[in-house]
Amino acid sequence: MNLLLGLAVKDLWRSGREVRAHLVLVAMAGLCLFFSFAFRDSIDTLISHRAREFLSADVALSSMQPIPAADLVVAEELAQAQSVARQTELLAMARTKQASLLVEVKAIDSVFPQVGQIVTEPLRSRQDIDLDLKAGHIYVYDELLPELGVQLGESIQLGRLSLVVKGIVVRDPGISRSNIGIAPRIYMDQELLQQTGLVGPESQVTYRYFYQTQGDLEAITAGLKEQFGQKNYFVISPEESMSGLRRALDSFGKYLSVLMLLASLLGFSLAFYLFQLFVRKRISSMAVMTMFGAGIWDVRKYLLLQSCLLHLVGFVLSWLFGATLLLGINQFVDLSAVPGFVAEISWLSLSVLALLFLAVAVLFNLPFWYEFSSSDVIHLLEEDTSEVPSRGGFGRFLPQGIGFLGFLGLSSWLLGAGTFFLSFAASLIVFGLMAFLLMPLLLSWMSHKMSEFSWRFALRNLGRARLTTSLAFFSVFIIGLLFGVGPTLVQSSLKELETPDQSKLPAYFVINVPEESTNRLVQFSKDSGIALRYLSPLILVRLETINGEEVNQDELRRFPSRVTYRKSLLESERIVEGEPFIGTFDGAGSEVAPVSVEVEYAERRGFKLGDILGFNIQGIPFQARVANFRRIEWNSFHPNFFIQFPDGVLNDVPKTYVGIVYHSGSDEDVRQIKFEMSRRFPELSLIDLGRTLRRLADITRQFRPVILVTAISLVLFTLLFLLLLLSHSVKVRSSEILLMQIFGGSASKVRSLILKEFSVLLGFGLGFGVMVGLVLAGYVLDQIMKFQIYWSLYESFFLFAVSGLLAFVLLFLSLTRRIPSFIKS
Amino acid sequence: MSSIIEISDLRKSYPSEQGRLEVLKGVNLSVDRPQSVSIMGRSGGGKSTLVALLSGLDRKDSGVVKVLQKDLSLFSSNQLIEYRAKNIGVIFQQFHLLPHLTALENVEMALAFQGVDGARDLAEKALADVGIDQRANHFPHQLSRGECQRVAIARVLVLSPKVVIADEPTGSLDVQTGERIMELLLNLVQQRDMVLVLVTHDPELAARCDRQFILEGGTLTLSSHEV
C-alpha cells in the first residue's frame, strides 16, 4: 500500500495543470456543499441560542380563552417557576383624529420579559418603562407614527382609551401571531387593557403566561403538555416559539441547498470528466505496472487512492476557503435582518462533509474500476498506445449513473432538501440522458441538411464527442433554465403584488365583527356607499380526532382552526371531489354533519372523503364527515376557509364575523370611511389589503437580490464548467487543429470552425433551457401561486447580456490564447 | 536439458469482418539454453501476437507455450502477473516509462513491486550498467529516445528475468542509437545468461542473434542465415 500511495502521490504531484484544475473544481463543488451545511448549522445555533430570548422566557402557556386561576396554579407548580410573566395579545384598530391602523397590542406586566429585553428610544430602563405603561403611556414600533400621523408625546385612541406614545421600541422579544408585520406592535400595561373595552367573550385574544425556571426544561414542557393537552391551552417551548422563523429560514435554506447542490453536482461532474481523461492517459502506465507485478486490484487501489487523495485535498481547500468566507461574512456583511445570526459550521458537519467527499471519490470513480483489465496490457505492444480504446456500451454509464444518484440522494438527505430536489434532479438526469441519446440523431440530421462545409464540420464534431457535448449542452441548458425560472417567478410575483387586479381587490378586510354589530355594520355600509360583501361567521374550533384516532399533527393540536358555515359556495370556490351540500342541515335522523375541506389542505393533512373528523367547539365535542373537497381561488381575496360547514350546523355557536369591503372612491375617501368605521365600531379590526400586499411585495423585493445573486453565481459556475470543458476538448483535439493548419486552415478559419461548434451548443442549450424554464415557471405561477405569468424583458435581458457577454469573452480569450499555442507547437 | 522456452503447435486467430483471421497456424520453437533468438517477419505477420502469447499477455487458441517448464495457460491472471514479473521481461518499442517518475524511480518501481530490499541502490546500479546513471533523476520527457530505451532495458534487467522479450526495441530510434542499444542489450543478456527473444524486421539486427527465425504465413521457420 505504501508503494501504491507513494506512486499515486508522485503521479498527482507531478501531473501539473490537469490535477490543479481537478482540485479547483472539487474544492469549488465542496465549497457549495460547505455553505449549505454552514447555513443549516447557523440556523440550528440561532434557534438553540436565541430561542429563549425569542420566547422571552423558558416556557409559556398560551390560550385563546382566559385560563382559570386553578390551572395557573398547577402550571406554576409544574413549571417550577421562579417567576411568572403575563401578557395579553390581540389585533385591534388604533385611531387618531385623522387615521386608523390595525395594530398588534401586547399588554404586559412588570415581569415581562424574563429573558431578553425591550430596548427603546429614548433609552429607558425596564423600571421606567413599567412606570410609563402604568401611567397610561404606550411604546410603539416606529412605522406606526407616520401611518397614524402622530409624534412622540401625542396620544392615540385604542378602544375606549386614549394613550400617549412615550417612546419607540427598537428591539424586543419576538413571539407574535406572525402577521408578517402587517400590524405594527404596541406595548401597553396589562391592567389597562380591560379598560379599552377590546377584550370580550368573542374577541380573538391570546392569553400568555411565561415561566422562568431552573428545572429540566424538557421534562417541564412534557409535564405541562400532558397536564393541559386536553384543554385549549398550548404549551410553547423556546424552540417551538421560533418554529415560524425556522420554517422560513429552512425554506430559504432548501432553496439555497438546491442551487448549491446543483452547482456542486456540476463541479463534481466536471472533476469526474477531468479525472476520466486523466485515467485514460494513464492506462498504459497502469499496464506497465502490471508488467512488473502489480495486480488488477493494485491498479484499482491505485486509482481509488488517487481519487481519494484529490477529494481529500479538495475538501481541505474548500474548508479553508469556506471558513475564511464565513469569517468575512460575520465581519463585513450586515446580518441585522436576522438578529443573532452567526455564520458558522460545526465539526460534525465538517466530518460529514469529509465523508461525503470520500463517498463522492468512490462513487464518481466507480466506472474506472471497470475501465482497466489485464487484457489492456496487450495494447502496450501496439505502435500507437497514446490512448487505449475505452470500453463501449451503455453499461459503462451504469456505475456512473449510480454514482450520480448516490451523490444526489446522500447530499440532499443530509441537507434535508427533501424530495423536491430529488425529483428536480431526477428530471434533469432524465433530460440529460435523453439529450445524450437523441443528440447524435439530431446532429446527424442537421449536418445532412447543412450545405456549408464549416457548419457540417462543426455539427459532426459535436456528434463525435458525445459525452463532452452532452455535458456542455447540459450546463448551458441549466443557465437557460435559470434565466427562464428565477427572474420570471420573482418578476411575476412582484407584478401581481404591486399591481393586483383592481376589480378583484377589496379595500380592506373587516375582522372581529361581533354578532350583535353585524346589522349595524351592514346599515353603515349602505349609508356610506361602500360594498360590504361575503360577511361570514368565524368560529374557532379544535380538531381533536380523525376517524376516532387522536390527531398527532402538532400544528393542529397547538392551534385552533377557523371554520365557517354557508348556504352556498362563494364564486371563488368549486367542488373538485365529493357531493355539494344541499339546503340547510337539520340533523334529522341523527346523521353526522357534512363538512367541506379545501383540497390542498386535505392533501397536507391526509384527509379522505368519508373521514370522520372530531372537533371540540368551545368545550363541546362534535363530529363531522368529510363530504367534499373544494378548490379555492385565493387571489380572489374572498373570506375563504379551509374548513366549511353547511348552514344549520354551527348557527348557535358564539362567533364573530369577517367580511370584505369594496370601495371605488379615491384613497382619501377610503381612508375617511375606514376611519369612520373604526370610530363607530371600535371592537372590529380592518386589515388594509393594499398595505399587506405592499408589505409582501417589499419582502419579495428583498429576496430578489438574493435570488439574482445566487442565480448569477450559479451561472458563472456553469460558465466556468463550460469553459473548462470546452477548452479541454479543444486541447485534446490539438493534433487535429495542427492537421487543419497543414491543409491550409488559417488560425482565424480554425477559430471560426470551433466558434461555430460553441454557438450551436449555446444556441440549443440556452433555447431549450429558457423554454423549459418558462414552462416550469408558468406551471408554478399558474398552478401553485395562481399568478399571471409576466415575462420581464428588463431582468432577463440584463441576465442574458451579462452572462452572454461573459461567456463570449471567456471563450474568446480562451480560444485566442490556446489556438496560437497549438499552432506554434 | 530442459527447455527454457517451449512452443509447440501454437495457434491463434482473431475475429474479423471476413470471419476468423488465423494469425498463427502452428508455431513451434524450443530454446533450451541462454541465447539470443530473433524473429523476423512482415508487418501484420503475427510477430506481436507471438510476443503477446509468449509473454502471457494474450491467451492462445490451442497449442502449448511453456516458459521455464510452466504452461502459461494454466495460470490465473494474478498468477500470470506474478510469474511474468519474476521470470519474463518485456522491452517495448515505445519504452513505456511512467511519465511522472524519474529514470531512477522507474527502475525502482519494478523492484518495489517485487518487494526487493535496497531497491534504490539496485536501481542506481542498473542505470549505471546501461550507462545512464548521470541522468537518473531526469524525467522521461527530459531524456532522449535512446536514453529512454536504456532506462527501459535497465528496468527489465534489474529484475534478472530468465527470458527477455524485446519487441522492436530499436524501432523508434535512429540507426546509430539503435546500434548502440542493441550492442548493450546483447552484451548484458550474454553476461547474465538470459534468453533474449528479439522481434524485429531489421535483418542486420536479427543477424546478430544466435538463432534467427522468420514468421511467415503463420508459421515459424529457421532463417537461411542461421549459423
Side-chain angles (χ1 to χ4, degrees), chain A residues 3-4 7 10-11 14 282 284-286 288-296 298 302 374-375 377-385, chain B residues 14 48 51-52 57-58 77-78 81 84-85 90 92-94 96 98-102 105 109-110 112-114 139 155-156 159 167:
Chain A
L3 170 65
L4 289 177
L7 286 173
K10 278 177 187 161
D11 192 1
R14 292 165 181 173
R282 274 152 185 77
S284 62
S285 294
M286 288 175 224
V288 171
M289 282 161 61
T290 64
M291 290 295 300
F292 292 96
I296 300 298
D298 287 327
Y302 177 78
S374 57
S375 63
V377 184
I378 201 168
H379 293 293
L380 295 176
L381 298 171
E382 291 169 4
E383 279 191 17
D384 181 12
T385 55
Chain B
Y14 294 105
S48 289
V51 169
L57 298 177
D58 203 356
S77 288
N78 281 335
I81 284 172
R84 186 170 54 219
V90 184
F92 303 99
Q93 180 182 349
Q94 300 291 335
H96 291 308
L98 300 194
H100 56 282
L101 300 183
T102 61
E105 286 167 343
M109 178 270 295
F113 273 118
Q114 299 304 310
F139 288 97
R155 186 174 62 178
V156 166
L159 292 170
D167 183 19

Side-chain angles (χ1 to χ4, degrees), chain A residues 397-432:
Chain A
F397 293 97
L398 190 64
Q400 204 165 328
I402 293 171
F404 275 97
L405 289 177
F407 166 74
L408 286 174
L410 196 63
S411 42
S412 58
W413 172 68
L414 284 168
L415 288 166
T419 49
F420 170 71
F421 177 69
L422 280 183
S423 47
F424 177 65
S427 351
L428 284 183
I429 287 172
V430 169
F431 187 81

Side-chain angles (χ1 to χ4, degrees), chain B residues 7-49:
Chain B
I7 299 175
S8 61
D9 197 25
L10 180 64
R11 290 171 188 275
K12 177 71 182 176
S13 60
Y14 294 105
S16 71
E17 285 177 6
Q18 290 79 33
R20 288 197 78 80
L21 177 67
E22 204 167 9
V23 182
L24 301 180
K25 301 173 180 172
V27 171
N28 294 293
L29 174 68
S30 179
V31 181
D32 51 14
R33 63 186 169 83
Q35 61 180 181
S36 53
V37 174
S38 69
I39 298 172
M40 282 202 302
R42 285 185 292 110
S43 292
K47 296 194 301 289
S48 289
T49 304

Side-chain angles (χ1 to χ4, degrees), chain A residues 279-528:
Chain A
V279 171
R280 286 266 164 77
K281 276 201 208 162
R282 274 152 185 77
I283 284 187
S284 62
S285 294
M286 288 175 224
V288 171
M289 282 161 61
T290 64
M291 290 295 300
F292 292 96
I296 300 298
W297 278 101
D298 287 327
V299 170
R300 288 178 179 164
K301 271 189 264 176
Y302 177 78
L303 282 175
L304 188 63
L305 273 171
Q306 287 196 323
S307 179
C308 289
L309 278 169
L310 280 172
H311 282 81
L312 272 180
V313 175
F315 163 72
V316 173
L317 287 176
S318 58
W319 175 16
L320 292 175
F321 193 50
T324 312
L325 282 179
L326 289 189
L327 284 175
I329 287 171
N330 289 330
Q331 197 69 36
F332 301 111
V333 178
D334 179 16
L335 298 169
S336 59
V338 191
F341 186 91
V342 177
E344 61 179 21
I345 191 163
S346 68
W347 286 107
L348 178 67
S349 292
L350 275 177
S351 316
V352 172
L353 196 59
L355 288 176
L356 200 57
F357 265 76
L358 281 178
V360 168
V362 175
L363 287 171
F364 271 33
N365 296 297
L366 275 178
F368 309 125
W369 282 45
Y370 300 92
E371 192 81 354
F372 180 81
S373 76
S374 57
S375 63
D376 284 324
V377 184
I378 201 168
H379 293 293
L380 295 176
L381 298 171
E382 291 169 4
E383 279 191 17
D384 181 12
T385 55
S386 58
E387 194 174 312
V388 176
S390 63
R391 266 162 251 301
F394 193 71
R396 187 159 68 94
F397 293 97
L398 190 64
Q400 204 165 328
I402 293 171
F404 275 97
L405 289 177
F407 166 74
L408 286 174
L410 196 63
S411 42
S412 58
W413 172 68
L414 284 168
L415 288 166
T419 49
F420 170 71
F421 177 69
L422 280 183
S423 47
F424 177 65
S427 351
L428 284 183
I429 287 172
V430 169
F431 187 81
L433 276 176
M434 276 171 59
F436 183 78
L437 295 172
L438 294 177
M439 189 169 293
L441 296 175
L442 182 68
L443 291 172
S444 164
W445 177 79
M446 284 177 61
S447 67
H448 279 109
K449 295 279 168 197
M450 291 287 176
S451 57
E452 200 192 325
F453 171 76
S454 59
W455 281 106
R456 268 207 320 268
F457 182 85
L459 290 165
R460 286 229 188 276
N461 265 334
L462 286 174
R464 190 180 56 167
R466 202 148 53 132
L467 185 61
T468 311
T469 307
S470 299
L471 282 171
F473 173 81
F474 196 61
S475 50
V476 180
F477 169 79
I478 287 173
I479 297 181
L481 189 76
L482 285 171
F483 285 146
V485 176
T488 312
L489 278 182
V490 174
Q491 199 58 30
S492 300
S493 307
L494 278 175
K495 181 83 178 167
E496 190 83 14
L497 293 169
E498 284 169 345
T499 53
D501 186 348
Q502 293 296 337
S503 62
K504 284 183 180 174
L505 185 68
Y508 35 83
F509 271 95
V510 187
I511 61 172
N512 289 344
V513 183
E515 196 165 9
E516 62 275 12
S517 303
T518 49
N519 290 337
R520 277 199 305 127
L521 186 64
V522 170
Q523 191 57 49
F524 170 82
S525 313
K526 281 181 187 162
D527 297 345
S528 316

Side-chain angles (χ1 to χ4, degrees), chain A residues 790-801:
Chain A
Y790 178 77
W791 176 247
S792 160
L793 273 179
Y794 169 74
E795 285 192 333
S796 308
F797 180 76
F798 171 74
L799 273 177
F800 262 116

